[in-house]
Amino acid sequence: MLENPRSPRVRAVAKLTKRSARTETGLFLLEGPQSVREALTYRPEAIVELFATPGGWERHQDIRAKAADADVRVEYVTEDVLHAMADTVTPQGLVAVVRQTPTSVRDIFDASPRLVAICEEVRDPGNLGTIIRAADAAGADAVVLTGRTVDPYNPKVVRATTGSLFHLPVSVGAELPDVVDRAHAAGLRILAADVKGDDLLGARADGVLAEPTAWLFGNEARGLEDEALELADRVLRLPIFGRAESLNLATAASVCLYESAFAQRAAPTG
């Protein structure tokens, strides 16, 4: 059992809360039973180390079974060690070190996707994690992060995805013009979500949302820059029927993705 919170090994795990350490090692930190469960189910080969308090390990029989099936060995730690490793105040008894497994933009669009979320300059970790989770829930094929979008392996992003990070391809580091070119070559229409656009209800009526689509979402404060908007085939906004000034980015992205998911899955008429 690891008992010393100040040991070099514990410190190495704790450093993964910092982007510099994640970049240097190609690893990231995973906390809590839900995230560990999803990693064991969908990417067990990416798990490098799995740590648990005896009580935390005992509470989750299904996780013990998945770890055994995947031949992932657990190492017991004290509560103090787990807290030293974790980014959260309450890591819930389980922490894992996992390899980053980003997907290339080329592979994403070579797979003939029908629904993709592109995040340009999204800076808030909670928003990005929620968009990844919403894309997963809506059945999107991938999420592509461009520009200075926050690191998807940031602990706050990882927690906000609640495991969806392991369910669909996520690409990082590409430039938006290249992503748009690849999306167009794959037959996708680029729809930008922005308050400067046309009412989304019009796009619903004319059938645009049923086509293979890459939704483009921008910065929380500034939206999309003019250069980004010019790359889009169409710019759309969500109507506000009440008195709210605007919608949170992640909420708006969720609605847009689900609008496309509904349209693409609707039974043909006529």
Side-chain angles (χ1 to χ4, degrees), residues 120-121 193-196 217-225 228-229:
E120 167 74 357
E121 307 280 347
D194 195 272
V195 294
K196 305 182 189 76
F217 306 113
N219 181 267
E220 292 87 349
R222 303 185 308 276
L224 289 161
E225 302 289 349
L229 291 173

Side-chain angles (χ1 to χ4, degrees), residues 227-255:
E227 293 84 356
L229 291 173
E230 289 171 2
L231 295 172
D233 298 302
R234 191 161 175 182
V235 182
L236 300 173
R237 61 176 171 80
L238 290 176
I240 300 292
F241 300 117
R243 296 190 179 95
E245 182 271 332
S246 63
L247 283 171
N248 165 272
L249 171 65
T251 302
S254 300
V255 174

